[in-house]
Amino acid sequence: MTLIVDAHEDIAWNVMCYGRDYTQSAQATRARDPEETVAGTGSATLGLPEWLAGKVAVIFSTVFTMPARSPIRDNLSQTYTTPEEAFTIGMRQIDIYRRLAGEDKRFRLITERPDLDAVLDTWKEGQAEQQIGLVLLMENGDPIRKPQEVERWYDEGVRLIGPAWMASRYCGGTGEPGPLTDEGVRLLKHMQELNMILDTTHMAEQAFFQAIDRYGGSIIASHSNPRAYVDGDRHLSDEMIRTLVRRDGVIGIVPFNSFLVKDWSRRRGDPKDAATISHVVRAIDRVCQIAGDALHAGLGTDLDGGFGAESTPAGIDTVADLQKVADGLREAGYTSSDIEAVMSGNWLRVLRQSLPN
Ligand SMILES: [Zn+2]
């Protein structure tokens, strides 16, 4: 089995909104979750035993904030209307990660390269206990009250920033098209001074191209699928993929049925098995075909990120099943080194470029 790096999981958000305890198994969480949680965000797919079983060694763990105008209405008490509120909710999530890593040695926050190497060392043969490394990724820049406050978040451990979810004060976002704002331009400047990673997922197309032109640091799309299979501004056009590849970026593919096959909807009762591992492989392969190599695709699962096991492809019940994607790539003719690149190596390359020594 190859190691896995997952470029997107909303761990703290789920702790905050649903009281999930990720030291427990996904199965235990399912048994505990009230019916309305399962009806809303879906059956849990994440948990420490499953991360360990699936060899998910490193997770880009989000500091995610939701504006009150979001169409998702089941977490109203956790949404914000002002930058100050967004700041508070974001900091609460930093605390959640700190507590997780502080209370359980099997989790470790990764803020510099030696942390990353230490986590990876625990996965080498003969090690008694493995560690899950958490790299903090801010999804939606609104908790950053002013562009120069990026430094404060960096000191708190944030190493990647996606300025948008819906539109933010920094740029247009999913469902809310628009450019990079003046504040957004300044945000990028401060991020670049700290050699942070820019996550372009959720950025509106106009803002995306402006940001790519301006940003000199590492650029990724942590959880974005090709628009070729599912239309809409949440996904990447071939031109956007090509642009990311040209900047040596990496794109994390999401094993979420409605991002893999056209017109899939849980609410309408569409079946889990309408998508399979082969659709995940198809999305990865499109990125690889455009790039001409396997150096720009990865996984950014977003598991438990507003969808659960009902909405993942057949064969993926929990995060432990991600290893089946490696099997699917093998069946599709990918070499071992290409598979390793997609499952972990490409994200590790980006992290090594960006993390301080
Ligand atoms: Zn997202």
Side-chain angles (χ1 to χ4, degrees):
M1 285 206 302
T2 166
L3 282 190
I4 291 176
V5 176
D6 187 350
H8 203 94
E9 293 181 11
D10 296 331
I11 295 170
W13 175 255
N14 282 288
V15 171
M16 202 176 78
C17 293
Y18 309 110
R20 284 183 171 169
D21 174 0
Y22 282 117
T23 65
Q24 303 297 306
S25 71
Q27 297 304 339
T29 300
R30 285 180 198 179
R32 256 183 35 159
D33 270 348
E35 241 169 82
E36 64 265 25
T37 298
V38 178
T41 201
S43 295
T45 56
L46 303 179
L48 180 59
E50 286 86 359
W51 283 317
L52 292 170
K55 296 189 84 172
V56 183
V58 177
I59 301 167
F60 297 4
S61 308
T62 67
V63 173
F64 167 67
T65 49
M66 187 183 280
R69 67 179 190 284
S70 159
I72 301 168
R73 309 307 294 171
D74 59 342
N75 297 302
L76 284 179
S77 64
Q78 312 290 354
T79 60
Y80 69 89
T81 49
T82 64
E84 204 56 48
E85 286 170 7
F87 174 87
T88 303
I89 296 169
M91 282 294 171
R92 209 179 299 154
Q93 294 185 33
I94 299 272
D95 284 344
I96 287 171
Y97 288 119
R98 242 192 227 126
R99 216 175 314 138
L100 192 61
E103 290 173 1
D104 194 319
K105 282 207 159 24
R106 291 166 300 177
F107 294 102
R108 177 171 178 150
L109 290 182
I110 294 177
T111 59
E112 40 192 47
R113 236 180 309 169
D115 299 320
L116 176 63
D117 293 335
V119 166
L120 295 176
D121 281 346
T122 69
W123 290 88
K124 288 185 176 150
E125 224 163 301
Q127 296 298 312
E129 192 162 78
Q130 284 67 48
Q131 264 185 335
I132 315 286
L134 309 176
V135 189
L136 302 189
L137 185 173
M138 182 182 283
E139 176 175 30
N140 179 6
D142 272 346
I144 306 164
R145 292 171 296 188
K146 291 188 196 111
Q148 60 268 34
E149 200 179 53
V150 165
E151 201 169 336
R152 165 83 186 270
W153 289 96
Y154 187 91
D155 290 342
E156 297 288 348
V158 173
R159 292 293 176 268
L160 309 95
I161 296 175
W165 184 62
M166 297 170 77
S168 69
R169 285 176 291 117
Y170 298 109
C171 64
T174 299
E176 297 184 332
L180 204 58
T181 63
D182 292 345
E183 294 279 272
V185 170
R186 289 172 52 215
L187 180 80
L188 293 186
K189 215 183 290 163
H190 288 284
M191 284 175 62
Q192 192 167 326
E193 278 164 18
L194 295 162
N195 198 28
M196 294 180 87
I197 300 165
L198 171 65
D199 181 3
T200 60
T201 289
H202 288 296
M203 289 180 84
E205 201 160 336
Q206 189 186 358
F208 170 94
F209 283 108
Q210 289 172 321
I212 292 222
D213 280 345
R214 287 174 175 279
Y215 199 64
S218 298
I219 302 180
I220 65 162
S222 70
H223 59 309
S224 289
N225 286 14
R227 203 181 284 174
Y229 307 118
V230 177
D231 201 17
D233 73 343
R234 176 65 183 81
H235 311 291
L236 299 174
S237 68
D238 287 352
E239 183 53 31
M240 291 164 95
I241 294 172
R242 210 169 287 124
T243 304
L244 284 163
V245 167
R246 220 176 285 138
R247 289 294 311 274
D248 200 25
V250 179
I251 296 160
I253 297 301
V254 189
F256 174 28
N257 288 2
S258 70
F259 286 10
L260 292 168
V261 292
K262 219 176 238 159
D263 295 328
W264 191 92
S265 157
R266 181 190 176 200
R267 220 177 316 156
R268 219 173 36 221
D270 288 344
K272 177 179 172 75
D273 63 5
T276 63
I277 301 285
S278 70
H279 291 98
V280 182
V281 170
R282 176 176 78 163
I284 291 170
D285 189 61
R286 185 161 192 104
V287 174
C288 295
Q289 294 302 332
I290 289 172
D293 58 39
L295 298 173
H296 302 280
L299 290 174
T301 67
D302 208 7
L303 286 173
D304 283 5
F307 62 95
E310 299 81 3
S311 308
T312 51
I316 299 185
D317 183 47
T318 73
V319 71
D321 297 310
L322 290 179
Q323 288 292 341
K324 293 178 187 168
V325 175
D327 301 337
L329 289 168
R330 202 166 296 119
E331 279 159 32
Y334 279 68
T335 64
S336 305
S337 68
D338 283 348
I339 293 167
E340 199 185 316
V342 171
M343 301 305 282
S344 61
N346 295 334
W347 291 127
L348 293 176
R349 177 182 82 237
V350 174
L351 286 178
R352 288 194 175 109
Q353 281 163 2
S354 171
L355 292 176
N357 283 315

